[in-house]
Amino acid sequence: MTNENIKKNVDGKDLNISNNDNRKQRAPEDALHNVFSSIAFKPPINLKRTHDSQQITKLNSVISKKRTDVIKWNGWGYNDSKFIIKDGVIHFTGNRYPIGQLELPYFTEWVKDVFHVDLDSRNRTDESLPTVFPESNVPEEFLNQLGKHKLPYSVDGVARLVRSHGQTLSDIYSLRIKKAVSRMPDIVVWPENHESVVTLVDLANKYQIVIIPFGGGTSVSGAVTCPENEQRCICSLDTSQMNGILWLDKNDLLVGCQCGIVGQDLELYLQKEGFTTGHEPDSYEFSTIGGWVATRASGMKKNIYGNIEDLLVSVKMVTPQGVLQKQGLNPRQSTGPDFNHIILGSEGCLGVVTEVVLKIRPLPAFRKYGSIVFPYFEAGVACMREVARRRCQPASIRLMDNEQFKFGQALRPKSNGCIPYLTEAIKKTYLTKIRGFNLNYICVATILFEGEKKTVESQEETIYSIAKECGGIPAGEKNGERGYMLTFVIAYIRDLGLEFNVVAESFETSVPWKNTLTLCRNVKYIVGKKCKEYGISYYLISHRVTQTYDCGCCVYFYFAFNWTGISGDPVEVYEHIEAAARNEVLACGGSLSHHHGVGKLRSPWYISQVSPLGAHLYTNAKLLLDPNNIFATGNLLPLARNESKWKKSWSLCLDNLNLSADLPAEHMLYGTAILPLVLVISAWPHCSCKAEPTCLSVLMDLLL
């Protein structure tokens, strides 16, 4: 070891550690011992220091505190970006996306053909904000305490409205068509740091205020929707002002963040420093770091960078009983159960995430897009499976079925001149006449490569070789880039559809490879069958494989239909059909969700997926961390429908069976007494309870 300074950049400071010039020559092993013992590196984070607001690098967020200045209050995305009808042709406004300010004649014809809509007849929507809102119900003592602790808050109707919903079909239909929401928060509070959240949660616990954490508002599971039957004051804890970088460790490749940072803001900051998290969920323009953790998010480039559980090193969650956080920023620990996984996927039910430490990577030196055309979907799945088996996945590889391929082609802008027309004609001739592909069966995989140039070239060679073995042919970089970028545009289409009696939504799952084709085929069949039962003549059901793993993949479905002429509420009809599709997904070995989470929409299936014992374990964690049910979001295991009746009848029945029912009414969660429930069912023949019909109804209520 020569005498030189060893420098490490931590928190923007250089640490100079030098060896002793006068030290005598030692044996090699002594020299190594000297090196490692002398480099007493400062830990990359001082937990007390992160509480100092002067040390936090606040980011200029793309989303302002007044959300309606930038993003829609009743739809998806930016105010200046949307599909419109102009002179009978669909256009896309704004300059944020590749199709901005462009005429989309092919998409116009596709919409007419698939959904049989008349673009001259529409449901005119009033884009102006409402002026009348439900009264807020906030205890005066709570307001006084917020003022005393200098916690910014508002009871303004618009502020409450825009934080009363996420992005489910039901949410947006209610806002755009019904012009109403069933329940709004009573107050919005904007804490600015971890300590502020601790104070707020303590106050909420003292005054029995319900807290619903609110990040980017992109939830598609109903997770941020206020429970309709909640009688207590509801506080929306908006994390948008917790948007600072706590520290950046360029040596250990870690970044400490506040929970409210929006995905694209984090990436902009890191890329200026030469780094990236690589985490790009479809919603990353608007979703937040805290939301990623709370829902166990997945990104388009997870093949290289991992899902959120792979990126997460440390996380703080504030609960009514204190702060849950495991100690250390070690790469791995064998210290019993990993409590990070109690927080991951907790969906705001146990507490609120405040600070997160994520892994980062140097920016890739090289990036390239690609695409592959397959003669049919089965060939594409075979290729995806082989790529996963060899573990040669690029940053992103996604496989669209034929319906999505046609949809993607329809979104290309109008071609000017004869050369683009001839190019398309030549491509079509090559595919159909020379390769023998049927345009009604072909599917396309879009690819993104990232890394060192030699690594990317090697990946390209391997993947295109596998594709060739499966009957696929390269389809160029342009198709790959367009397919990747259109991911961010698709969500805007639903708002336009509602103006023409078309409802649309997506749902997803993960499934073993051996069941993938069966699941895709069966779900399409079930949806088609249900559409026929409801008298729906014009609909679309399509799917794509979006993420691949050693043992399976994520399948993403898009479902839309024209509700003209059907009886009943179109959202209820959609939900009934999706429920049938979800049952088929589970029957085919699929998961309840790959990355959207459970929320309220999928909570009826939750117990069946985690087992009664798992539900009991979860609800006991809930009871320990949140004994007054302050985080009563209604996600995962929702509140019982009739708490007083539940408690009285349940207690009576358990008393007759010599079992304990010492559960306070505010904790009557489905699954709370799952283990006693199992005991009750097994001991039912011996029950002498005179309220047997009531007990039976309670048991059925729990089971259903």
Side-chain angles (χ1 to χ4, degrees):
M1 178 82 178
T2 58
N3 297 328
E4 61 179 358
N5 287 343
I6 302 172
K7 298 183 178 181
K8 182 181 181 183
N9 188 321
V10 178
D11 301 326
K13 299 177 181 179
D14 287 339
L15 301 180
N16 297 319
I17 300 112
S18 60
N19 291 328
N20 189 342
D21 290 343
N22 300 320
R23 186 173 290 123
K24 295 180 180 180
Q25 186 68 34
R26 297 187 179 184
E29 58 271 21
D30 291 337
L32 287 173
H33 178 271
N34 171 60
V35 170
F36 287 110
S37 62
S38 66
I39 304 178
F41 288 133
K42 175 185 174 183
I45 177 172
N46 182 323
L47 295 180
K48 292 183 179 180
R49 186 190 63 75
T50 61
H51 299 163
D52 185 350
S53 60
Q54 293 182 350
Q55 298 291 333
I56 299 175
T57 303
K58 285 287 186 178
L59 304 184
N60 293 320
S61 179
V62 67
I63 302 176
S64 63
K65 186 175 181 180
K66 188 179 179 182
R67 291 171 62 86
T68 51
D69 286 346
V70 180
I71 59 179
K72 300 183 185 74
W73 67 273
N74 63 347
W76 177 265
Y78 297 105
N79 289 327
D80 59 9
S81 302
K82 59 184 176 180
F83 288 94
I84 62 170
I85 309 296
K86 184 178 179 182
D87 299 326
V89 178
I90 299 174
H91 293 64
F92 192 80
T93 65
N95 295 304
R96 299 178 187 270
Y97 303 97
I99 63 171
Q101 302 294 341
L102 294 178
E103 188 177 331
L104 303 170
Y106 308 114
F107 184 51
T108 304
E109 292 306 312
W110 181 86
V111 167
K112 291 179 179 179
D113 292 342
V114 173
F115 295 109
H116 201 68
V117 298
D118 180 1
L119 296 183
D120 294 324
S121 177
R122 65 197 300 181
N123 302 313
R124 293 283 179 181
T125 57
D126 183 4
E127 299 294 334
S128 61
L129 282 159
T131 55
V132 179
F133 305 94
E135 260 188 68
S136 64
N137 176 31
V138 188
E140 191 67 30
E141 300 91 336
F142 182 64
L143 289 176
N144 291 338
Q145 289 297 316
L146 292 178
K148 178 181 177 181
H149 292 281
K150 298 181 180 179
L151 288 169
Y153 70 88
S154 174
V155 294
D156 173 71
V158 173
R160 293 158 51 213
L161 173 66
V162 298
R163 293 163 181 85
S164 67
H165 64 87
Q167 291 291 330
T168 67
L169 172 60
S170 178
D171 290 333
I172 305 306
Y173 181 85
S174 295
L175 291 168
R176 297 183 73 88
I177 305 299
K178 293 183 176 180
K179 308 295 183 185
V181 292
S182 56
R183 181 72 160 91
M184 286 171 50
D186 297 286
I187 185 171
V188 181
V189 181
W190 290 272
E192 296 183 355
N193 52 41
H194 172 78
E195 289 74 23
S196 298
V197 174
V198 171
T199 300
L200 177 58
V201 172
D202 286 345
L203 291 174
N205 197 35
K206 179 178 179 180
Y207 294 103
Q208 286 296 296
I209 308 295
V210 171
I211 290 180
I212 298 182
F214 187 92
T218 60
S219 168
V220 290
S221 67
V224 297
T225 305
C226 298
E228 294 182 29
N229 62 346
E230 180 56 67
Q231 299 301 310
R232 293 174 292 177
C233 169
I234 297 179
C235 168
S236 176
L237 192 163
D238 188 317
T239 63
S240 63
Q241 302 310 293
M242 298 176 66
N243 65 332
I245 300 294
L246 303 173
W247 47 268
L248 175 66
D249 186 337
K250 298 181 179 181
N251 186 79
D252 285 347
L253 297 177
L254 297 173
V255 63
C257 316
Q258 289 185 310
C259 65
I261 299 179
V262 173
Q264 62 170 314
D265 294 337
L266 176 63
E267 280 302 303
L268 181 62
Y269 168 82
L270 288 175
Q271 288 178 18
K272 287 180 179 178
E273 299 289 335
F275 299 95
T276 179
T277 64
H279 189 67
E280 282 189 15
D282 293 358
S283 62
Y284 109 110
E285 295 172 283
F286 312 107
S287 57
T288 62
I289 297 173
W292 297 348
V293 173
T295 57
R296 294 184 65 90
S298 179
M300 290 186 281
K301 300 191 293 187
K302 75 92 195 166
N303 293 333
I304 290 180
Y305 303 100
N307 291 316
I308 192 63
E309 65 269 22
D310 304 306
L311 292 168
L312 183 67
V313 176
S314 180
V315 56
K316 285 184 182 179
M317 182 175 73
V318 177
T319 80
Q321 294 298 296
V323 178
L324 181 62
Q325 178 192 30
K326 75 173 186 179
Q327 295 301 307
L329 298 179
N330 317 96
R332 187 178 186 275
Q333 296 183 21
S334 178
T335 52
D338 186 347
F339 292 122
N340 280 356
H341 287 273
I342 296 292
I343 302 172
L344 281 159
S346 57
E347 300 191 9
C349 298
L350 305 178
V352 57
V353 171
T354 58
E355 295 179 3
V356 175
V357 177
L358 297 176
K359 300 173 187 176
I360 59 175
R361 295 293 304 162
L363 279 173
F366 190 70
R367 164 182 273 217
K368 187 176 183 180
Y369 292 95
S371 61
I372 304 168
V373 178
F374 296 96
Y376 42 84
F377 188 69
E378 291 80 358
V381 171
C383 177
M384 298 280 278
R385 200 279 164 269
E386 184 61 18
V387 167
R389 189 185 70 81
R390 297 192 195 179
R391 290 189 174 179
C392 59
Q393 294 107 313
S396 174
I397 179 167
R398 294 182 159 197
L399 178 70
M400 299 179 286
D401 70 357
N402 185 257
E403 286 81 6
Q404 283 201 27
F405 162 71
K406 291 178 178 177
F407 165 69
Q409 289 296 298
L411 277 170
R412 71 186 190 276
K414 181 180 179 180
S415 301
N416 296 317
C418 62
I419 293 179
Y421 174 80
L422 288 173
T423 302
E424 289 298 320
I426 291 170
K427 289 179 182 177
K428 185 178 293 187
T429 299
Y430 174 74
L431 284 174
T432 58
K433 302 300 182 183
I434 299 176
R435 299 298 304 222
F437 287 11
N438 186 326
L439 295 182
N440 291 318
Y441 290 100
I442 65 173
C443 67
V444 176
T446 57
I447 306 171
L448 170 63
F449 300 96
E450 285 188 357
E452 296 297 325
K453 187 173 182 180
K454 288 185 177 180
T455 302
V456 168
E457 290 172 347
S458 176
Q459 274 189 327
E460 276 190 292
E461 183 179 355
T462 301
I463 289 173
Y464 288 132
S465 174
I466 294 172
K468 184 178 180 181
E469 293 172 6
C470 296
I473 57 174
E477 292 183 49
K478 187 176 180 181
N479 284 325
E481 182 175 8
R482 193 168 95 250
Y484 191 85
M485 294 305 170
L486 285 179
T487 298
F488 300 110
V489 176
I490 291 174
Y492 287 91
I493 296 174
R494 181 176 62 188
D495 297 344
L496 176 68
L498 289 173
E499 296 183 22
F500 296 95
N501 286 12
V502 175
V503 290
E505 186 63 287
S506 62
F507 56 95
E508 42 69 54
T509 185
S510 54
V511 60
W513 284 113
K514 64 182 179 182
N515 295 354
T516 300
L517 293 174
T518 300
L519 183 145
C520 292
R521 181 175 59 249
N522 288 9
V523 169
K524 279 191 170 183
Y525 170 78
I526 289 294
V527 169
K529 180 182 177 183
K530 287 294 180 181
C531 284
K532 187 176 180 180
E533 291 177 7
Y534 281 102
I536 298 170
S537 300
Y538 303 99
Y539 67 93
L540 170 74
I541 176 67
S542 67
H543 52 63
R544 59 180 173 174
V545 175
T546 59
Q547 281 105 328
T548 61
Y549 301 86
D550 288 356
C551 59
C553 62
C554 171
V555 180
Y556 210 101
F557 291 90
Y558 288 100
F559 174 41
F561 64 83
N562 186 332
W563 81 69
T564 304
I566 70 170
S567 59
D569 185 294
V571 174
E572 290 183 6
V573 171
Y574 173 88
E575 289 174 347
H576 289 160
I577 296 175
E578 188 190 318
R582 179 67 56 189
N583 286 331
E584 187 61 30
V585 163
L586 298 177
C588 292
S591 66
L592 188 55
S593 174
H594 172 264
H595 59 270
H596 281 171
V598 177
K600 299 175 185 65
L601 293 187
R602 285 171 279 279
S603 62
W605 291 274
Y606 181 69
I607 294 178
S608 69
Q609 297 305 291
V610 300
S611 79
L613 182 58
H616 188 58
L617 179 63
Y618 163 78
T619 50
N620 273 279
K622 166 74 173 175
L623 288 168
L624 175 66
L625 297 173
D626 186 14
N628 291 318
N629 199 19
I630 297 306
F631 290 92
T633 61
N635 302 329
L636 299 177
L637 293 176
L639 290 169
R641 279 165 278 195
N642 191 325
E643 294 175 354
S644 59
K645 176 182 175 183
W646 193 99
K647 185 178 183 182
K648 180 179 178 181
S649 301
W650 182 247
S651 299
L652 180 60
C653 180
L654 292 184
D655 286 344
N656 280 278
L657 292 169
N658 296 317
L659 297 172
S660 173
D662 187 20
L663 297 170
E666 61 266 24
H667 299 307
M668 294 305 148
L669 300 165
Y670 286 119
T672 295
I674 286 297
L675 285 182
L677 174 60
V678 173
L679 292 172
V680 168
I681 294 172
S682 64
W684 191 261
H686 308 290
C687 180
S688 58
C689 177
K690 294 181 180 179
E692 182 175 334
T694 305
C695 289
L696 181 59
S697 67
V698 170
L699 289 170
M700 293 305 296
D701 189 53
L702 282 168
L703 288 169
L704 295 175

